[in-house]
Amino acid sequence: MAMVCGEYIRNDRQKQHYKQYFHLLDAAVDSARRFSLHMNDFLHMFQKLDTDIDFSLYIKRRNREWVVANAVGEKAEQLWNKHVKTAFPPLSNSLFHSRSAVCFENVALDPRFAFFAVHGVKPSAVVAYPVLHGSEIDGWIVIGSQTKCSLSKEVVQIGTILVKYWQLYSEYELVHIKMDRHFMRLSMLIEISRAMNVVKDTDEILRMMTDFVAELAYGDFVFTVLADHKRKVKVHCGTISEQQVTEYYEDVCQRYFFTEEKLLETIPKLCETKFGTVMEISFSVHEHMHGVMAVHMKHLEAAKEAEVYVTALIGIGTMIMKQNNYHGPKQQLNMDMLSERLTSREMDVLNLLVQGCSNREIADRLFISIHTVKNHITNIFQKIGVNDRSQLIALVYQLNNRKYINEEHH
């Protein structure tokens, strides 16, 4: 009878523990939904796993060192912002690449855990959970008890679930932040495009383009040079000095302008310079006016994003400068003149381009090869005087709109 009662009580306690674990997970999900789950709150959840857990820490890599970034629990605050020696087992070579929780028992006299004792914390049991960023270990969540020699398997397992949930939440939050940043930058791009269209002055447009890219803060400086047969204009923003500007200017001119090659399209290149990695993007306003924008890159992972925004800005800026520098006949280009300049097949290609069709789709619809499509597109660009599809589409829409307005007035 005593055995039956004991088993009943044990099962009841186990149910209570599981119910408590479910409440913790539910609380974590609820906090994440409100974007209010912070690391300190998260560490408090670990202490609720077991009454014998006395502290919980978040150890994070800063530069080349490991530091206690967050600490919760009695006496644990004394560990906050302290550097952790690599003798601490999770940071050692043998355990550092572990992708699962690491448990340590009876560590009170283990010299590898002296970091805790030095700051007044003397754990008997410690569990360390790796926090991953992609495939790399970004930090460790460490929980410990000063009274128990070991922590139960259930506690370790629920802790593992919590850590994985934190990683998912962190990734989701990062995506949310990136989306906000992209919306903000797109708004900035729209506003700067409107402003450039109002300004009309080539030098001022160049300065506005350079300032905008500097605001995106990809690196320490942005440098732009625009050259025609009369002069060269250079603009820069950032920490680069005048002497360095001059050196870089001469290097850019040598590589891009003192050559027989014409810069017909934007071709982003990552170059290693004395300033570090620089993304250089060449562009052409018209046959006799070419430019280069150089964007210093602190982090290579930002290169793809930088390429999108910078090339979009350059496309808009060059189109506006092209319109401002057009010195042909005063008669404006219209749809009738466009059809006169292009062959019937080129007009077919142009119509499909404006509809957003890819080269493959154009080839399939017109029953021609992709190579022939590319040749037609190159001829269209040269005859109309644009550098890429975005400029071409914008120009055609502008001409169509102008034609519609003229028909309305007549």
Side-chain angles (χ1 to χ4, degrees), residues 35 132-134 138 166-182 301 305:
F35 278 98
L132 305 178
H133 180 70
D138 189 51
W166 172 263
Q167 290 173 183
L168 287 173
Y169 168 75
S170 299
E171 291 173 8
Y172 176 67
E173 187 178 37
L174 185 61
V175 169
H176 187 76
I177 291 170
K178 284 183 177 179
M179 285 180 62
D180 282 348
R181 187 177 72 237
H182 284 311
E301 56 267 26
E305 180 188 298

Side-chain angles (χ1 to χ4, degrees), residues 78-131:
Q78 300 176 52
L79 301 172
W80 178 75
N81 215 28
K82 297 295 190 298
H83 295 278
V84 184
K85 303 297 183 183
T86 52
F88 180 51
L91 307 183
S92 65
N93 291 331
S94 59
L95 293 176
F96 181 72
H97 298 291
S98 173
R99 293 297 184 269
S100 56
V102 185
C103 303
F104 305 93
E105 301 178 357
N106 299 307
V107 302
L109 300 178
D110 192 330
R112 298 176 301 171
F113 293 82
F115 160 77
F116 294 94
V118 168
H119 299 290
V121 179
K122 299 178 180 180
S124 293
V126 170
V127 180
Y129 301 92
V131 179

Side-chain angles (χ1 to χ4, degrees), residues 223 234 236 240-253 275:
F223 171 85
K234 60 178 184 288
H236 74 278
I240 188 171
S241 67
E242 284 295 335
Q243 181 180 352
Q244 292 172 322
V245 167
T246 302
E247 293 175 6
Y248 195 69
Y249 167 75
E250 292 173 353
D251 179 51
V252 166
C253 290
F275 314 109

Side-chain angles (χ1 to χ4, degrees), residues 6-147:
E7 186 67 20
Y8 177 80
I9 293 171
R10 191 181 71 81
N11 288 338
D12 186 63
R13 285 177 178 172
Q14 194 171 41
K15 286 181 181 178
Q16 291 298 322
H17 282 150
Y18 284 134
K19 189 177 293 185
Q20 182 182 358
Y21 298 152
F22 291 141
H23 282 313
L24 282 173
L25 294 174
D26 185 61
V29 171
D30 190 54
S31 296
R33 192 180 296 116
R34 299 193 306 270
F35 278 98
S36 60
L37 183 59
H38 304 292
M39 179 54 80
N40 270 20
D41 300 326
F42 187 65
L43 293 179
H44 275 294
M45 291 181 182
F46 277 89
Q47 290 194 280
K48 293 177 182 178
L49 291 175
D50 194 307
T51 55
D52 289 307
I53 295 177
D54 299 303
F55 65 85
S56 49
L57 313 173
Y58 177 44
I59 299 175
K60 185 174 178 61
R61 189 199 295 272
R62 288 182 184 167
N63 298 323
R64 297 183 179 180
E65 297 181 310
W66 291 90
V67 179
V68 178
N70 301 81
V72 170
E74 187 180 358
K75 297 183 180 179
E77 286 79 3
Q78 300 176 52
L79 301 172
W80 178 75
N81 215 28
K82 297 295 190 298
H83 295 278
V84 184
K85 303 297 183 183
T86 52
F88 180 51
L91 307 183
S92 65
N93 291 331
S94 59
L95 293 176
F96 181 72
H97 298 291
S98 173
R99 293 297 184 269
S100 56
V102 185
C103 303
F104 305 93
E105 301 178 357
N106 299 307
V107 302
L109 300 178
D110 192 330
R112 298 176 301 171
F113 293 82
F115 160 77
F116 294 94
V118 168
H119 299 290
V121 179
K122 299 178 180 180
S124 293
V126 170
V127 180
Y129 301 92
V131 179
L132 305 178
H133 180 70
S135 59
E136 299 296 322
I137 293 180
D138 189 51
W140 291 85
I141 288 177
V142 179
I143 61 174
S145 172
Q146 298 186 92
T147 55

